[in-house]
C-alpha cells in the first residue's frame, strides 16, 4: 500500500518527510518522492520535486545531490497499480502548470475518461498514472483556492483515494482528503502533519484526527479545518494514540517478522486480558455494541476477510459451530461483494481485518450492512475504517504489526474469536464445563507458546534441510486445516517457494500425484479427533518416498517412526491447537526465507494493507 506524509510548520520539512517515509517502508513500495515549496516570499516560492525508483536510499541520495529546503511539503512511497514502478511514474505528480503537486494512495477508476476530457482542454500527460490525471484535474479547477480546486475535482472522481496536495501559489497549506484509503491528521505544537498511517508521524505527535470517507482537511501553520467534499464544515475529535513508537521498532531482532513471532505470548495475554470471567465462566467484552438479546436472535454467522485473516475466520467458523451450534460461512470478501448474497437481519457478519483498511473487506462489510446485517469488526488498528464503520466490534490488541507477513495478528485474531465465541455460546446455551475448559485453555496458551518459541533453533535446523526445495505441501484436518493454509501462505509470501495447503484427506483426490522425494510434505498431526485418520494420510505419503515434516503433540513418539522431522507442541483443547501449531510453521517459513536471501519484512510485490481492489 502507498505511504503518504505531509508537514507544514516552522521546521525544515525534508527530514520530517524522509523520516516519515522510513516509518512506512514496511508497507511495501517500489519508488519514493517528495515535493517541497522553497523560498520565503511569494516572489521566490518554487515547487520542487525529487523522486526516484526503487528503495528510499535512492531518494535520499538524490536529495543529498540536489538539496531542497522548505517549511511545507508532501512525500510518498508508491506501490504501483497504474503504470510501471519507475521514476517517471513515481509520486508526487504535478499539474499542467507545475504549480500544484499531489500524492495519492488508491485507484481513480474513471481516470481514462478524465484524461481524455483534459486533453481536449489542452492538457498534456507524461506518465501512465491515474494520479497525474487527478493532479491535472485539480489544476483545471484552480481559481485561487487550493481546497476549492481539490473539492471540485474530487466531486467528479470515481474510485478510491487518500491524497495530499500542495501548491506554491497557496503557500503553507496542505489539502488532504480520503475515500477508501486512510488519511490521518497529526496535531503538533504549532505544526501539523498528514499521513496514511500514524507510524509516520508518531515521533512528532500522538494527537491525531482520523478522516472518514469523503472528508477533507485544510492544514496551515495556524491550524486545521475539516469539511465535506461539498465544502460544508464538519467537527472532528482529536484522539490520542496510546501505543509507543518503540513498539514499531525492531527491538534487536533481525526482522520485524521475527520480533512479532516472539511477541505472540504477550499479544495473547493482551487479547484476553479483562475479557474472561471465572465467576460464571463467561466472556466480558466492552464495545461490542450489540446486546445479548440481539445476539440471541442470531441464526447464522458469516465471516468476511482476506488472506491470513480469512484463515483466522475459518478457525472461527469451526469454533462457533462447535460451541454455539450455529451455521457459519466464511466468505472471501472479494467474492462476497460481487455476488448477490443472501443476508438478512438475523445474520451476524464478522469482519476480520488486521489493518482495518483492506478495500475488499471494507466494501464487503458495507454491502452486508446495506442488506440489513449487523457487522462486528475484529481489527488491530485502532480507529481504522472497518473498526469505525462496523456496528461494533473487538480490537485484537496485537500492537502495530510491521512485517508484511502476518503472524501475531493471526494468533491474536484467533484468541479474540475464541473470546467472542465463548460470549456468543453462553448466550446460545453452552454449558459450564466446555466454557470452563475454553477459559482455562486460553489462559495457558501464552506459557505454551513460550515453550515452543524456546525451541526456535530446531525450526532453523529443519529449514536448512528443505530450504532448497521449490515446492511444499501443507496438510491438516479439522482445526488444523486452516493452519495448513496459513503455513502455506507464510512460506509462499516470504520465501517465494510454491506452497499449497490442503485438507489431508483431499490429497488422495489429486495432490498425491505430486508426491516424490522432491516434495516436502508438512503434516499438522496433533493428538485431536482426526489424529488416527491423518496418520493414514502420512503413511500414504511415506509409501511414495515423500519427505514428511510433522507438527505433533508432545509425547507422541509414534510420529517419529513416520516423519523425517518433527516439531512438537504442548497439548491443548482442539479449538486452541491453531494458536500453537502455527508457531513452528511461522518460524520454519521465516528461516527458509532468510536462507533463500529474501526480503522477509518487505516481500516482493506485496503490501501490508491492500487498500486497492
Ligand atoms: C498475510 O500474511 C498477508 N499479509 C495478507 O494475506 C493479509 O492477511 C491480507 O491482505 C488481509 O489483510 P488485513 O487483515 O489487514 O485485512
Amino acid at each position: 500500500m502507498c505511504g503518504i506524509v505531509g508537514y507544514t510548520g516552522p521546521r525544515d520539512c525534508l527530514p520530517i518527510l524522509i523520516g516519515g517515509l522510513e516509518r512506512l517502508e514496511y508497507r511495501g513500495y517500489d519508488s519514493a518522492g517528495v515535493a517541497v515549496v522553497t523560498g520565503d516570499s511569494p516572489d521566490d516560492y518554487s515547487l520542487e520535486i525529487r523522486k526516484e525508483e526503487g528503495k528510499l536510499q535512492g531518494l535520499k541520495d538524490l536529495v543529498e545531490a540536489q538539496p531542497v529546503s522548505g517549511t511545507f511539503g508532501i512525500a510518498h512511497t508508491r506501490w504501483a497499480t497504474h503504470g510501471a514502478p519507475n521514476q517517471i511514474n513515481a509520486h508526487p505528480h504535478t499539474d499542467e502548470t507545475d504549480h500544484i503537486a499531489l500524492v495519492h494512495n488508491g485507484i481513480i477508476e474513471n481516470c481514462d475518461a478524465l484524461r481524455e476530457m483534459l486533453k481536449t482542454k489542452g492538457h498534456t500527460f507524461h506518465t501512465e498514472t491515474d494520479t497525474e490525471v487527478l493532479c491535472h484535474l485539480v489544476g483545471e479547477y484552480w481559481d485561487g483556492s487550493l481546497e476549492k480546486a481539490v473539492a471540485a475535482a474530487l466531486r467528479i472522481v470515481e474510485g478510491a483515494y487518500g491524497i495530499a496536495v500542495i501548491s506554491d501559489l497557496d503557500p503553507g497549506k496542505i489539502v488532504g482528503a480520503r475515500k477508501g484509503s486512510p488519511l490521518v491528521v497529526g496535531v503538533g505544537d504549532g505544526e501539523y502533519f498528514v499521513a496514511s498511517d500514524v507510524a509516520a508521524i508518531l515521533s512528532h505527535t500522538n494527537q491525531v484526527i482520523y478522516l472518514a470517507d469523503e472528508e477533507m482537511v485544510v492544514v496551515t501553520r495556524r491550524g486545521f479545518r475539516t469539511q465535506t467534499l461539498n465544502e460544508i464544515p464538519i467537527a472532528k475529535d482529536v484522539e490520542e494514540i496510546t501505543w509507543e513508537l518503540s513498539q514499531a521498532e525492531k527491538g534487536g531482532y533481525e526482522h520485524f517478522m521475527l520480533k512479532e513471532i516472539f511477541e505472540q505470548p504477550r499479544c495473547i495475554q493482551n487479547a484476553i486480558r479483562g475479557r474472561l470471567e471465572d465467576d460464571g465462566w463467561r466472556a466480558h467484552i466492552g464495545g461490542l455494541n450489540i446486546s445479548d438479546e440481539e445476539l440471541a436472535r442470531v441464526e447464522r454467522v458469516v465471516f468476511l476477510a482476506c488472506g491470513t485473516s480469512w484463515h483466522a475466520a475459518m478457525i472461527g467458523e469451526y469454533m462457533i459451530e462447535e460451541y454455539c451450534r450455529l451455521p457459519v460461512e466464511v466468505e472471501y470478501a472479494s467474492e462476497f461483494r460481487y455476488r448477490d448474497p443472501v443476508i438478512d437481519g438475523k445474520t451476524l457478519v464478522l469482519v476480520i481485518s488486521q489493518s482495518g483498511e483492506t478495500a475488499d473487506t471494507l466494501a464487503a462489510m458495507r454491502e452486508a450492512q446495506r442488506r440489513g446485517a449487523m457487522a462486528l469488526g475484529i481489527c488491530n488498528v485502532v480507529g481504522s475504517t472497518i473498526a469505525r464503520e462496523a456496528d461494533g466490534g473487538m480490537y485484537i490488541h496485537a500492537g502495530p504489526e510491521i512485517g508484511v507477513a502476518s503472524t501475531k495478528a493471526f494468533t491474536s485474531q484467533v484468541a479474540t474469536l475464541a473470546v467472542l465465541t465463548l460470549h456468543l455460546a453462553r448466550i446460545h446455551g453452552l454449558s459450564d464445563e466446555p466454557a470452563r475448559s475454553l477459559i482455562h485453555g486460553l489462559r495457558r496458551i501464552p506459557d505454551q507458546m513460550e515453550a515452543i518459541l524456546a525451541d526456535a533453533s530446531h525450526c532453523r535446523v529443519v529449514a536448512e534441510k528443505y530450504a532448497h526445495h521449490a515446492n511444499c505441501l501443507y496438510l491438516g484436518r479439522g482445526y488444523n486445516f486452516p493452519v495448513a493454509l496459513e503455513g502455506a501462505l507464510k512460506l509462499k509470501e516470504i520465501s517465494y517457494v510454491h506452497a499449497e495447503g490442503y485438507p489431508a484427506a483431499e490429497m488422495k483426490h489429486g495432490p498425491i500425484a505430486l508426491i516424490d522425494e522432491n516434495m516436502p510434505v508438512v503434516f499438522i498431526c496433533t493428538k485431536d479427533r482426526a489424529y488416527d485418520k491423518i496418520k493414514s494420510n502420512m503413511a500414504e505419503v511415506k509409501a511414495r518416498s515423500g519427505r514428511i515434516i510433522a507438527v505433533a503433540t508432545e509425547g507422541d513418539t509414534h510420529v517419529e517412526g513416520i516423519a523425517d522431522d518433527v516439531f512438537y507442541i504442548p497439548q491443548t483443547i482442539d479449538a486452541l491447537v491453531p494458536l500453537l501449531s502455527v508457531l513452528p510453521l511461522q518460524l520454519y517459513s521465516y528461516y527458509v526465507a532468510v536462507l533463500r536471501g529474501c526480503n522477509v519484512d518487505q516481500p516482493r510485490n506485496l503490501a501490508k494493507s491492500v487498500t486497492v481492489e
Side-chain angles (χ1 to χ4, degrees):
M1 182 169 89
C2 305
I4 292 173
V5 189
Y7 172 83
T8 186
R11 293 190 281 165
D12 180 7
C13 68
L14 189 65
I16 296 168
L17 298 177
I18 297 294
L21 293 185
E22 287 172 337
R23 302 279 185 219
L24 298 181
E25 280 198 282
Y26 74 89
R27 298 150 65 109
Y29 67 101
D30 44 52
S31 58
V34 297
V36 175
V37 173
T38 62
D40 298 319
S41 68
D43 294 338
D44 64 356
Y45 284 142
S46 172
L47 179 61
E48 298 291 327
I49 307 291
R50 303 284 187 275
K51 57 186 184 177
E52 195 57 88
E53 180 183 352
K55 291 306 181 189
L56 202 46
Q57 190 55 50
L59 177 62
K60 290 178 183 176
D61 296 342
L62 179 60
V63 295
E64 185 175 351
Q66 301 173 32
V68 62
S69 174
T71 58
F72 74 105
I74 55 178
H76 187 264
T77 49
R78 177 176 183 244
W79 187 69
T81 54
H82 287 64
N86 57 29
Q87 191 272 349
I88 189 75
N89 288 333
H91 303 195
H93 288 289
T94 56
D95 73 319
E96 185 71 16
T97 68
D98 287 336
H99 283 297
I100 298 172
L102 181 148
V103 293
H104 168 225
N105 177 18
I107 292 179
I108 304 302
E109 294 178 349
N110 60 337
C111 71
D112 293 340
L114 293 171
R115 182 185 289 112
E116 293 313 309
M117 178 272 285
L118 289 165
K119 282 181 178 176
T120 65
K121 295 175 181 292
H123 290 251
T124 55
F125 295 92
H126 309 293
T127 79
E128 310 158 57
T129 67
D130 53 346
T131 305
E132 187 188 14
V133 173
L134 179 56
C135 193
H136 277 242
L137 191 62
V138 173
E140 180 63 26
Y141 283 111
W142 168 262
D143 185 19
S145 160
L146 189 56
E147 61 269 30
K148 286 187 176 299
V150 171
L154 294 180
R155 285 196 291 265
I156 68 169
V157 150
E158 295 167 14
Y161 53 80
I163 61 171
V165 193
I166 61 172
S167 172
D168 55 8
L169 303 176
D170 205 341
K173 185 182 288 181
I174 303 175
V175 177
R178 68 151 286 170
K179 181 182 178 187
S181 293
L183 199 72
V184 297
V185 181
V187 182
D189 181 8
E191 59 185 12
Y192 297 88
F193 309 81
V194 294
S196 47
D197 182 323
V198 294
I201 56 176
L202 193 55
S203 59
H204 304 293
T205 180
N206 63 2
Q207 304 296 307
V208 298
I209 292 153
Y210 294 97
L211 290 187
D213 276 358
E214 299 194 4
E215 290 182 349
M216 291 177 60
V217 64
V218 182
V219 183
T220 68
R221 297 192 187 108
R222 292 175 299 285
F224 69 91
R225 54 188 168 82
T226 45
Q227 63 179 53
T228 67
L229 296 188
N230 293 315
E231 301 169 67
I232 298 167
I234 47 177
K236 301 290 286 184
D237 295 333
V238 178
E239 302 182 39
E240 184 165 303
I241 299 298
T242 56
W243 51 269
E244 302 297 327
L245 196 59
S246 60
Q247 288 177 268
E249 304 293 341
K250 286 183 189 172
Y253 287 89
E254 186 179 356
H255 297 102
F256 281 113
M257 182 180 175
L258 190 61
K259 174 193 171 207
E260 288 152 9
I261 288 172
F262 278 83
E263 282 179 339
Q264 291 179 104
R266 189 168 65 252
C267 292
I268 300 307
Q269 289 170 336
N270 293 340
I272 64 177
R273 180 173 292 114
R275 290 175 163 173
L276 300 176
E277 295 177 355
D278 292 338
D279 176 15
W281 308 120
R282 293 184 171 280
H284 172 73
I285 305 171
L288 209 52
N289 291 349
I290 291 185
S291 68
D292 290 5
E293 293 72 25
E294 288 172 307
L295 291 175
R297 289 196 293 272
V298 166
E299 295 180 359
R300 176 167 162 260
V301 175
V302 171
F303 279 97
L304 302 176
C306 302
T308 283
S309 297
W310 188 84
H311 299 151
M314 284 192 70
I315 293 165
E317 173 188 20
Y318 287 34
M319 285 178 176
I320 290 173
E321 285 183 344
E322 174 178 0
Y323 288 91
C324 308
R325 308 310 299 155
L326 288 172
V328 184
E329 293 156 52
V330 179
E331 298 277 0
Y332 279 116
S334 56
E335 286 296 306
F336 176 87
R337 63 183 293 201
Y338 292 116
R339 281 210 331 261
D340 187 7
V342 177
I343 293 288
D344 62 21
K346 293 179 179 175
T347 304
L348 176 64
V349 169
L350 301 180
V351 185
I352 317 294
S353 177
Q354 187 282 133
S355 63
E357 301 296 349
T358 300
D360 285 324
T361 308
L362 174 60
M365 179 180 77
R366 288 169 173 169
E367 180 61 22
Q369 289 173 310
R370 190 179 66 81
R371 293 168 183 259
M374 294 179 288
L376 288 180
I378 312 295
C379 298
N380 189 33
V381 177
V382 175
S384 57
T385 305
I386 289 172
R388 284 184 292 109
E389 291 195 14
D391 300 298
M394 300 172 74
Y395 284 116
I396 67 173
H397 300 307
E401 184 175 68
I402 308 300
V404 167
S406 187
T407 51
K408 65 175 184 175
F410 172 71
T411 51
S412 299
Q413 287 167 341
V414 172
T416 302
L417 286 172
V419 173
L420 179 60
T421 297
L422 174 62
H423 180 63
L424 190 59
R426 294 295 262 169
I427 292 169
H428 282 259
L430 181 73
S431 63
D432 284 355
E433 179 45 35
R436 187 196 60 77
S437 174
L438 187 55
I439 289 176
H440 280 190
L442 275 170
R443 288 234 169 82
R444 295 181 59 216
I445 289 295
D447 288 344
Q448 292 179 315
M449 284 183 158
E450 292 287 8
I452 297 167
L453 296 171
D455 198 24
S457 58
H458 177 53
C459 297
R460 188 176 66 250
V461 168
V462 175
E464 286 161 358
K465 287 177 64 176
Y466 300 95
H468 63 283
H469 286 285
N471 299 284
C472 193
L473 205 53
Y474 286 72
L475 303 176
R477 283 176 176 258
Y479 280 101
N480 280 321
F481 165 42
V483 178
L485 297 176
E486 174 60 13
L489 175 61
K490 287 285 100 40
L491 187 66
K492 76 178 84 168
E493 69 175 329
I494 63 172
S495 69
Y496 317 143
V497 169
H498 174 246
E500 281 190 81
Y502 257 89
E506 271 298 297
M507 188 190 55
K508 303 189 292 296
H509 304 285
I512 199 166
L514 297 172
I515 303 301
D516 62 22
E517 64 281 358
N518 297 314
M519 171 65 82
V521 181
V522 177
F523 273 99
I524 305 133
C525 53
T526 51
K527 283 279 186 76
D528 53 27
R529 66 193 74 162
Y531 176 68
D532 290 334
K533 298 295 183 188
I534 206 164
K535 280 195 302 186
S536 309
N537 301 138
M538 294 171 75
E540 289 153 9
V541 168
K542 201 67 191 171
R544 291 162 179 80
S545 308
R547 300 184 63 190
I548 295 176
I549 303 168
V551 180
T553 304
E554 283 171 356
D556 178 1
T557 54
H558 170 80
V559 75
E560 288 175 356
I562 301 179
D564 298 273
D565 295 278
V566 184
F567 301 128
Y568 281 110
I569 65 170
Q571 177 79 43
T572 185
I573 61 174
D574 287 4
L576 301 181
V577 165
L579 290 168
L580 302 179
S581 58
V582 76
L583 265 59
L585 304 185
Q586 293 170 343
L587 287 165
Y588 174 76
S589 58
Y590 169 79
Y591 288 120
V592 168
V594 169
L595 287 164
R596 293 172 71 97
C598 297
N599 184 335
V600 172
D601 285 332
Q602 299 168 29
R604 67 186 182 196
N605 308 335
L606 288 181
K608 181 57 185 170
S609 173
V610 184
T611 60
V612 294
E613 288 195 35

